[in-house]
Amino acid sequence: SVLSEDGTIVAHLTINLPARGRTILGQAAEQILGKALPTLVQRALKCASLSPDRMSKHVDSVQDQVWLQQQLKSRGLVAFVPNGAILPRASGVDDRPMADAVPFQSPPGKLSTSFTLPTTGVTLEGMGIPEGITLICGGGFHGKSTLLEALQVGIYPKFPQDGREFCVVRPDTFKIRAEDGRSITSVDISTFIQNLPFGKDTTSFSTLDASGSTSQASNIVESLEMGSDVLLLDEDTCATNFMIRDNLMRQL
């Protein structure tokens, strides 16, 4: 993260030092800390190294993205995805947009909507996801998880050319998934789960090694306690035995 206080820029970053087993590789670490890091600072944080035009476009884009996010609630929407957005990433370890990806196109009908951005004056057309329950369905490798992955980072503004800029969700959006093995302390999951082995109390549930279903139930409760109004769930990363408790899910 980068913070600006009284004109001073403070960059917070993490560097993984190279190692072989439990031994730090000193010469490789010297290359990182003594050469690579100063070069990155020079290129990224020195104003003289940056293009004024690109910086101006970046600021304008972020301002419009923040404004767009603020409009969602008044429109009765939880998310917006613009036409032409490039949602897939280059790979699982490369967050750049996929080179040959198919641009997003909103389905015709009531989901289509538009916004005129105040800073640049550009009118964006795309898909507005309304409040309520929205089911995204389709065959394998059709982009369901890709869309959800773009939405789950929609709380943050993107830089221009990211492909997902102006793909926004409300700031209180949470992504819910099963997390086998997570620790849980005093969470009331009795709304979802009542009967556990050995009569374990689910009104104040604690464990150091949660199952898929108890971890997902806890994640939902904790999100709601934090004030979330929007929950994103991807069936691929959810606990089937938890989801099947819902009557609508059983029908699906």
PDB file of all heavy atoms in Angstrom, residues 74-101:
ATOM      1  N   SER A  74     -27.868   3.544  -4.741  1.00  0.00           N
ATOM      2  CA  SER A  74     -29.003   4.383  -5.133  1.00  0.00           C
ATOM      3  C   SER A  74     -29.717   3.821  -6.363  1.00  0.00           C
ATOM      4  O   SER A  74     -30.897   4.111  -6.579  1.00  0.00           O
ATOM      5  CB  SER A  74     -28.538   5.814  -5.414  1.00  0.00           C
ATOM      6  OG  SER A  74     -27.626   5.848  -6.499  1.00  0.00           O
ATOM      7  N   ARG A  75     -29.021   3.029  -7.154  1.00  0.00           N
ATOM      8  CA  ARG A  75     -29.631   2.395  -8.327  1.00  0.00           C
ATOM      9  C   ARG A  75     -30.231   1.028  -7.990  1.00  0.00           C
ATOM     10  O   ARG A  75     -30.764   0.365  -8.874  1.00  0.00           O
ATOM     11  CB  ARG A  75     -28.578   2.209  -9.416  1.00  0.00           C
ATOM     12  CG  ARG A  75     -28.070   3.482 -10.066  1.00  0.00           C
ATOM     13  CD  ARG A  75     -29.009   3.967 -11.151  1.00  0.00           C
ATOM     14  NE  ARG A  75     -28.348   4.902 -12.033  1.00  0.00           N
ATOM     15  CZ  ARG A  75     -27.859   4.599 -13.227  1.00  0.00           C
ATOM     16  NH1 ARG A  75     -27.955   3.371 -13.698  1.00  0.00           N
ATOM     17  NH2 ARG A  75     -27.266   5.522 -13.959  1.00  0.00           N
ATOM     18  N   GLY A  76     -30.101   0.585  -6.750  1.00  0.00           N
ATOM     19  CA  GLY A  76     -30.603  -0.739  -6.391  1.00  0.00           C
ATOM     20  C   GLY A  76     -29.752  -1.863  -6.936  1.00  0.00           C
ATOM     21  O   GLY A  76     -30.239  -2.976  -7.155  1.00  0.00           O
ATOM     22  N   LEU A  77     -28.458  -1.590  -7.134  1.00  0.00           N
ATOM     23  CA  LEU A  77     -27.541  -2.586  -7.687  1.00  0.00           C
ATOM     24  C   LEU A  77     -26.506  -2.989  -6.641  1.00  0.00           C
ATOM     25  O   LEU A  77     -26.187  -2.227  -5.726  1.00  0.00           O
ATOM     26  CB  LEU A  77     -26.812  -2.020  -8.909  1.00  0.00           C
ATOM     27  CG  LEU A  77     -27.666  -1.522 -10.073  1.00  0.00           C
ATOM     28  CD1 LEU A  77     -26.780  -0.887 -11.152  1.00  0.00           C
ATOM     29  CD2 LEU A  77     -28.488  -2.672 -10.662  1.00  0.00           C
ATOM     30  N   VAL A  78     -25.978  -4.184  -6.805  1.00  0.00           N
ATOM     31  CA  VAL A  78     -24.870  -4.633  -5.951  1.00  0.00           C
ATOM     32  C   VAL A  78     -23.568  -4.680  -6.727  1.00  0.00           C
ATOM     33  O   VAL A  78     -22.484  -4.729  -6.124  1.00  0.00           O
ATOM     34  CB  VAL A  78     -25.160  -6.025  -5.337  1.00  0.00           C
ATOM     35  CG1 VAL A  78     -26.384  -5.959  -4.447  1.00  0.00           C
ATOM     36  CG2 VAL A  78     -25.317  -7.089  -6.407  1.00  0.00           C
ATOM     37  N   ALA A  79     -23.647  -4.671  -8.063  1.00  0.00           N
ATOM     38  CA  ALA A  79     -22.430  -4.742  -8.874  1.00  0.00           C
ATOM     39  C   ALA A  79     -22.705  -4.227 -10.277  1.00  0.00           C
ATOM     40  O   ALA A  79     -23.858  -4.185 -10.737  1.00  0.00           O
ATOM     41  CB  ALA A  79     -21.911  -6.178  -8.946  1.00  0.00           C
ATOM     42  N   PHE A  80     -21.628  -3.841 -10.947  1.00  0.00           N
ATOM     43  CA  PHE A  80     -21.713  -3.391 -12.338  1.00  0.00           C
ATOM     44  C   PHE A  80     -20.488  -3.902 -13.088  1.00  0.00           C
ATOM     45  O   PHE A  80     -19.360  -3.807 -12.589  1.00  0.00           O
ATOM     46  CB  PHE A  80     -21.770  -1.868 -12.434  1.00  0.00           C
ATOM     47  CG  PHE A  80     -21.733  -1.336 -13.836  1.00  0.00           C
ATOM     48  CD1 PHE A  80     -22.873  -1.360 -14.634  1.00  0.00           C
ATOM     49  CD2 PHE A  80     -20.559  -0.815 -14.376  1.00  0.00           C
ATOM     50  CE1 PHE A  80     -22.842  -0.883 -15.936  1.00  0.00           C
ATOM     51  CE2 PHE A  80     -20.519  -0.330 -15.667  1.00  0.00           C
ATOM     52  CZ  PHE A  80     -21.669  -0.359 -16.449  1.00  0.00           C
ATOM     53  N   VAL A  81     -20.727  -4.461 -14.283  1.00  0.00           N
ATOM     54  CA  VAL A  81     -19.636  -4.948 -15.138  1.00  0.00           C
ATOM     55  C   VAL A  81     -19.803  -4.290 -16.504  1.00  0.00           C
ATOM     56  O   VAL A  81     -20.827  -4.486 -17.173  1.00  0.00           O
ATOM     57  CB  VAL A  81     -19.663  -6.475 -15.292  1.00  0.00           C
ATOM     58  CG1 VAL A  81     -18.456  -6.955 -16.106  1.00  0.00           C
ATOM     59  CG2 VAL A  81     -19.688  -7.157 -13.930  1.00  0.00           C
ATOM     60  N   PRO A  82     -18.830  -3.492 -16.946  1.00  0.00           N
ATOM     61  CA  PRO A  82     -18.998  -2.768 -18.208  1.00  0.00           C
ATOM     62  C   PRO A  82     -18.782  -3.656 -19.425  1.00  0.00           C
ATOM     63  O   PRO A  82     -18.015  -4.633 -19.381  1.00  0.00           O
ATOM     64  CB  PRO A  82     -17.908  -1.685 -18.126  1.00  0.00           C
ATOM     65  CG  PRO A  82     -16.838  -2.317 -17.300  1.00  0.00           C
ATOM     66  CD  PRO A  82     -17.556  -3.168 -16.295  1.00  0.00           C
ATOM     67  N   ASN A  83     -19.467  -3.318 -20.501  1.00  0.00           N
ATOM     68  CA  ASN A  83     -19.218  -3.997 -21.776  1.00  0.00           C
ATOM     69  C   ASN A  83     -17.778  -3.727 -22.215  1.00  0.00           C
ATOM     70  O   ASN A  83     -17.259  -2.627 -22.055  1.00  0.00           O
ATOM     71  CB  ASN A  83     -20.180  -3.492 -22.851  1.00  0.00           C
ATOM     72  CG  ASN A  83     -21.616  -3.902 -22.575  1.00  0.00           C
ATOM     73  OD1 ASN A  83     -21.874  -4.860 -21.847  1.00  0.00           O
ATOM     74  ND2 ASN A  83     -22.562  -3.173 -23.157  1.00  0.00           N
ATOM     75  N   GLY A  84     -17.154  -4.757 -22.762  1.00  0.00           N
ATOM     76  CA  GLY A  84     -15.783  -4.609 -23.228  1.00  0.00           C
ATOM     77  C   GLY A  84     -14.731  -4.940 -22.191  1.00  0.00           C
ATOM     78  O   GLY A  84     -13.535  -4.941 -22.498  1.00  0.00           O
ATOM     79  N   ALA A  85     -15.146  -5.219 -20.954  1.00  0.00           N
ATOM     80  CA  ALA A  85     -14.187  -5.549 -19.902  1.00  0.00           C
ATOM     81  C   ALA A  85     -13.491  -6.867 -20.219  1.00  0.00           C
ATOM     82  O   ALA A  85     -14.096  -7.803 -20.754  1.00  0.00           O
ATOM     83  CB  ALA A  85     -14.890  -5.641 -18.552  1.00  0.00           C
ATOM     84  N   ILE A  86     -12.205  -6.940 -19.900  1.00  0.00           N
ATOM     85  CA  ILE A  86     -11.435  -8.175 -20.059  1.00  0.00           C
ATOM     86  C   ILE A  86     -11.280  -8.772 -18.665  1.00  0.00           C
ATOM     87  O   ILE A  86     -10.454  -8.320 -17.868  1.00  0.00           O
ATOM     88  CB  ILE A  86     -10.060  -7.913 -20.694  1.00  0.00           C
ATOM     89  CG1 ILE A  86     -10.221  -7.218 -22.043  1.00  0.00           C
ATOM     90  CG2 ILE A  86      -9.282  -9.220 -20.839  1.00  0.00           C
ATOM     91  CD1 ILE A  86     -10.991  -8.031 -23.073  1.00  0.00           C
ATOM     92  N   LEU A  87     -12.072  -9.795 -18.367  1.00  0.00           N
ATOM     93  CA  LEU A  87     -12.103 -10.357 -17.023  1.00  0.00           C
ATOM     94  C   LEU A  87     -11.064 -11.453 -16.790  1.00  0.00           C
ATOM     95  O   LEU A  87     -10.482 -11.515 -15.705  1.00  0.00           O
ATOM     96  CB  LEU A  87     -13.508 -10.891 -16.708  1.00  0.00           C
ATOM     97  CG  LEU A  87     -14.659  -9.880 -16.870  1.00  0.00           C
ATOM     98  CD1 LEU A  87     -15.980 -10.522 -16.437  1.00  0.00           C
ATOM     99  CD2 LEU A  87     -14.398  -8.614 -16.075  1.00  0.00           C
ATOM    100  N   PRO A  88     -10.780 -12.332 -17.759  1.00  0.00           N
ATOM    101  CA  PRO A  88      -9.794 -13.397 -17.489  1.00  0.00           C
ATOM    102  C   PRO A  88      -8.389 -12.830 -17.311  1.00  0.00           C
ATOM    103  O   PRO A  88      -8.030 -11.821 -17.925  1.00  0.00           O
ATOM    104  CB  PRO A  88      -9.871 -14.283 -18.739  1.00  0.00           C
ATOM    105  CG  PRO A  88     -11.147 -13.922 -19.413  1.00  0.00           C
ATOM    106  CD  PRO A  88     -11.381 -12.481 -19.090  1.00  0.00           C
ATOM    107  N   ARG A  89      -7.600 -13.503 -16.461  1.00  0.00           N
ATOM    108  CA  ARG A  89      -6.202 -13.123 -16.252  1.00  0.00           C
ATOM    109  C   ARG A  89      -5.292 -14.005 -17.103  1.00  0.00           C
ATOM    110  O   ARG A  89      -5.685 -15.069 -17.559  1.00  0.00           O
ATOM    111  CB  ARG A  89      -5.830 -13.260 -14.789  1.00  0.00           C
ATOM    112  CG  ARG A  89      -6.670 -12.418 -13.834  1.00  0.00           C
ATOM    113  CD  ARG A  89      -6.453 -10.914 -14.077  1.00  0.00           C
ATOM    114  NE  ARG A  89      -7.368 -10.339 -15.048  1.00  0.00           N
ATOM    115  CZ  ARG A  89      -7.279  -9.097 -15.519  1.00  0.00           C
ATOM    116  NH1 ARG A  89      -6.299  -8.304 -15.107  1.00  0.00           N
ATOM    117  NH2 ARG A  89      -8.153  -8.642 -16.397  1.00  0.00           N
ATOM    118  N   ALA A  90      -4.079 -13.527 -17.310  1.00  0.00           N
ATOM    119  CA  ALA A  90      -3.133 -14.239 -18.184  1.00  0.00           C
ATOM    120  C   ALA A  90      -2.876 -15.649 -17.679  1.00  0.00           C
ATOM    121  O   ALA A  90      -2.777 -16.596 -18.477  1.00  0.00           O
ATOM    122  CB  ALA A  90      -1.825 -13.457 -18.290  1.00  0.00           C
ATOM    123  N   SER A  91      -2.767 -15.829 -16.373  1.00  0.00           N
ATOM    124  CA  SER A  91      -2.574 -17.154 -15.782  1.00  0.00           C
ATOM    125  C   SER A  91      -2.853 -17.058 -14.300  1.00  0.00           C
ATOM    126  O   SER A  91      -3.134 -15.972 -13.764  1.00  0.00           O
ATOM    127  CB  SER A  91      -1.145 -17.671 -16.021  1.00  0.00           C
ATOM    128  OG  SER A  91      -0.219 -16.989 -15.191  1.00  0.00           O
ATOM    129  N   GLY A  92      -2.738 -18.183 -13.611  1.00  0.00           N
ATOM    130  CA  GLY A  92      -2.972 -18.185 -12.179  1.00  0.00           C
ATOM    131  C   GLY A  92      -1.933 -17.426 -11.386  1.00  0.00           C
ATOM    132  O   GLY A  92      -2.160 -17.076 -10.232  1.00  0.00           O
ATOM    133  N   VAL A  93      -0.765 -17.163 -12.002  1.00  0.00           N
ATOM    134  CA  VAL A  93       0.298 -16.419 -11.318  1.00  0.00           C
ATOM    135  C   VAL A  93       0.632 -15.114 -12.034  1.00  0.00           C
ATOM    136  O   VAL A  93       1.626 -14.468 -11.719  1.00  0.00           O
ATOM    137  CB  VAL A  93       1.575 -17.285 -11.191  1.00  0.00           C
ATOM    138  CG1 VAL A  93       1.310 -18.481 -10.303  1.00  0.00           C
ATOM    139  CG2 VAL A  93       2.066 -17.748 -12.563  1.00  0.00           C
ATOM    140  N   ASP A  94      -0.198 -14.724 -12.984  1.00  0.00           N
ATOM    141  CA  ASP A  94       0.029 -13.495 -13.756  1.00  0.00           C
ATOM    142  C   ASP A  94      -1.281 -12.731 -13.813  1.00  0.00           C
ATOM    143  O   ASP A  94      -2.235 -13.162 -14.468  1.00  0.00           O
ATOM    144  CB  ASP A  94       0.512 -13.841 -15.165  1.00  0.00           C
ATOM    145  CG  ASP A  94       0.954 -12.616 -15.960  1.00  0.00           C
ATOM    146  OD1 ASP A  94       0.589 -11.490 -15.559  1.00  0.00           O
ATOM    147  OD2 ASP A  94       1.653 -12.779 -16.981  1.00  0.00           O
ATOM    148  N   ASP A  95      -1.346 -11.596 -13.112  1.00  0.00           N
ATOM    149  CA  ASP A  95      -2.599 -10.860 -12.971  1.00  0.00           C
ATOM    150  C   ASP A  95      -2.868  -9.903 -14.125  1.00  0.00           C
ATOM    151  O   ASP A  95      -3.831  -9.134 -14.081  1.00  0.00           O
ATOM    152  CB  ASP A  95      -2.599 -10.081 -11.660  1.00  0.00           C
ATOM    153  CG  ASP A  95      -4.012  -9.860 -11.123  1.00  0.00           C
ATOM    154  OD1 ASP A  95      -4.836 -10.779 -11.244  1.00  0.00           O
ATOM    155  OD2 ASP A  95      -4.289  -8.765 -10.601  1.00  0.00           O
ATOM    156  N   ARG A  96      -2.057  -9.950 -15.165  1.00  0.00           N
ATOM    157  CA  ARG A  96      -2.325  -9.119 -16.332  1.00  0.00           C
ATOM    158  C   ARG A  96      -3.508  -9.697 -17.115  1.00  0.00           C
ATOM    159  O   ARG A  96      -3.816 -10.884 -17.010  1.00  0.00           O
ATOM    160  CB  ARG A  96      -1.094  -9.046 -17.228  1.00  0.00           C
ATOM    161  CG  ARG A  96       0.073  -8.280 -16.612  1.00  0.00           C
ATOM    162  CD  ARG A  96       1.299  -8.339 -17.494  1.00  0.00           C
ATOM    163  NE  ARG A  96       1.789  -9.707 -17.642  1.00  0.00           N
ATOM    164  CZ  ARG A  96       2.837 -10.039 -18.378  1.00  0.00           C
ATOM    165  NH1 ARG A  96       3.493  -9.119 -19.073  1.00  0.00           N
ATOM    166  NH2 ARG A  96       3.230 -11.307 -18.443  1.00  0.00           N
ATOM    167  N   PRO A  97      -4.212  -8.877 -17.927  1.00  0.00           N
ATOM    168  CA  PRO A  97      -5.354  -9.394 -18.686  1.00  0.00           C
ATOM    169  C   PRO A  97      -4.917 -10.422 -19.729  1.00  0.00           C
ATOM    170  O   PRO A  97      -3.830 -10.317 -20.298  1.00  0.00           O
ATOM    171  CB  PRO A  97      -5.944  -8.139 -19.344  1.00  0.00           C
ATOM    172  CG  PRO A  97      -4.839  -7.135 -19.338  1.00  0.00           C
ATOM    173  CD  PRO A  97      -4.009  -7.426 -18.121  1.00  0.00           C
ATOM    174  N   MET A  98      -5.756 -11.411 -19.949  1.00  0.00           N
ATOM    175  CA  MET A  98      -5.471 -12.432 -20.954  1.00  0.00           C
ATOM    176  C   MET A  98      -5.469 -11.802 -22.345  1.00  0.00           C
ATOM    177  O   MET A  98      -6.377 -11.045 -22.702  1.00  0.00           O
ATOM    178  CB  MET A  98      -6.505 -13.553 -20.875  1.00  0.00           C
ATOM    179  CG  MET A  98      -6.270 -14.703 -21.841  1.00  0.00           C
ATOM    180  SD  MET A  98      -7.536 -15.985 -21.708  1.00  0.00           S
ATOM    181  CE  MET A  98      -7.133 -16.675 -20.093  1.00  0.00           C
ATOM    182  N   ALA A  99      -4.481 -12.125 -23.143  1.00  0.00           N
ATOM    183  CA  ALA A  99      -4.283 -11.454 -24.428  1.00  0.00           C
ATOM    184  C   ALA A  99      -5.412 -11.730 -25.414  1.00  0.00           C
ATOM    185  O   ALA A  99      -5.846 -10.838 -26.147  1.00  0.00           O
ATOM    186  CB  ALA A  99      -2.944 -11.871 -25.022  1.00  0.00           C
ATOM    187  N   ASP A 100      -5.902 -12.963 -25.477  1.00  0.00           N
ATOM    188  CA  ASP A 100      -6.907 -13.321 -26.486  1.00  0.00           C
ATOM    189  C   ASP A 100      -8.286 -13.564 -25.867  1.00  0.00           C
ATOM    190  O   ASP A 100      -9.078 -14.333 -26.390  1.00  0.00           O
ATOM    191  CB  ASP A 100      -6.460 -14.568 -27.260  1.00  0.00           C
ATOM    192  CG  ASP A 100      -6.188 -15.749 -26.332  1.00  0.00           C
ATOM    193  OD1 ASP A 100      -6.164 -15.552 -25.098  1.00  0.00           O
ATOM    194  OD2 ASP A 100      -5.987 -16.876 -26.841  1.00  0.00           O
ATOM    195  N   ALA A 101      -8.564 -12.905 -24.746  1.00  0.00           N
ATOM    196  CA  ALA A 101      -9.833 -13.109 -24.042  1.00  0.00           C
ATOM    197  C   ALA A 101     -10.995 -12.485 -24.814  1.00  0.00           C
ATOM    198  O   ALA A 101     -10.828 -11.512 -25.553  1.00  0.00           O
ATOM    199  CB  ALA A 101      -9.762 -12.519 -22.645  1.00  0.00           C
TER     200      ALA A 101
END
